[in-house]
Amino acid sequence: MTTAHSAPSIPVTDDVELTQRWADLLTPGPLEGHTLWLAWLRPDGTMVPTLVPIDEVPEHGTLTLVSGLLALHDAVAESERCDPDDLHLTLTLERPGQLAEDPTERDEEWLDLLDEAVTPMLDQGCSFHVFDGRSVQQLISRRVWPQRRG
């Protein structure tokens, strides 16, 4: 299900701000299942007003899911009337279990899948966070942030 949301107009300009943006977007509370959230940043750092939750994703990501993510990325770019390479895909896995300093084994599996199958296909790569119902932790940083103006 795709949800339109009132995307904040303040640009996200670094990894710390992106992690905080995810914390602001997600609803705290106990979690039972796994939801993968997708959002996009325009070249100026503002968010596209489309937030996509994929409910009941398996604990282990699949190549089928990845191909769907890439197709959805292209569809969002088309709706924004821009080149897919101009958008940054950012994802957050909402999952039960407390966050720790080091990623869990399942988090590592997601990292490997994204690193092998998503990042190479997108000019800007992707960023990846996990959310445990209380806090958000970034596991894949955005490779390059646009230069701040001003």
Side-chain angles (χ1 to χ4, degrees):
M1 175 176 113
T2 302
T3 12
H5 68 99
S6 56
S9 60
I10 299 170
V12 175
T13 60
D14 62 32
D15 288 323
V16 172
E17 290 177 3
L18 181 56
T19 300
Q20 183 58 52
R21 181 65 54 88
W22 274 116
D24 295 342
L25 287 171
L26 299 170
T27 305
L31 305 175
E32 294 183 21
H34 292 71
T35 299
L36 186 64
W37 291 88
L38 287 70
W40 290 265
L41 297 176
R42 296 180 184 106
D44 66 359
T46 58
M47 281 192 123
V48 171
T50 302
L51 183 63
V52 179
I54 303 173
D55 295 319
E56 300 178 22
V57 293
E59 288 184 44
H60 309 276
T62 65
L63 290 175
T64 303
L65 178 64
V66 166
S67 69
L69 295 178
L70 295 171
L72 189 53
H73 180 81
D74 289 343
V76 169
E78 185 177 328
S79 74
E80 282 287 301
R81 295 185 176 120
C82 70
D83 188 308
D85 290 338
D86 290 339
L87 292 179
H88 174 75
L89 171 62
T90 180
L91 309 101
T92 295
L93 178 64
E94 186 178 83
R95 53 124 176 107
Q98 222 172 349
L99 298 180
E101 190 172 318
D102 296 320
T104 66
E105 185 177 323
R106 294 234 165 69
D107 294 341
E108 290 282 356
E109 291 172 6
W110 277 94
L111 289 169
D112 291 342
L113 180 65
L114 293 171
D115 191 44
E116 293 169 12
V118 175
T119 300
M121 303 304 292
L122 300 176
D123 193 50
Q124 295 191 32
C126 68
S127 54
F128 179 65
H129 295 75
V130 289
F131 175 64
D132 67 357
R134 291 178 296 282
S135 58
V136 179
Q137 181 180 35
Q138 187 172 47
L139 299 181
I140 298 176
S141 299
R142 184 171 179 174
R143 288 189 295 212
V144 177
W145 283 95
Q147 295 297 315
R148 291 183 185 201
R149 294 182 182 164

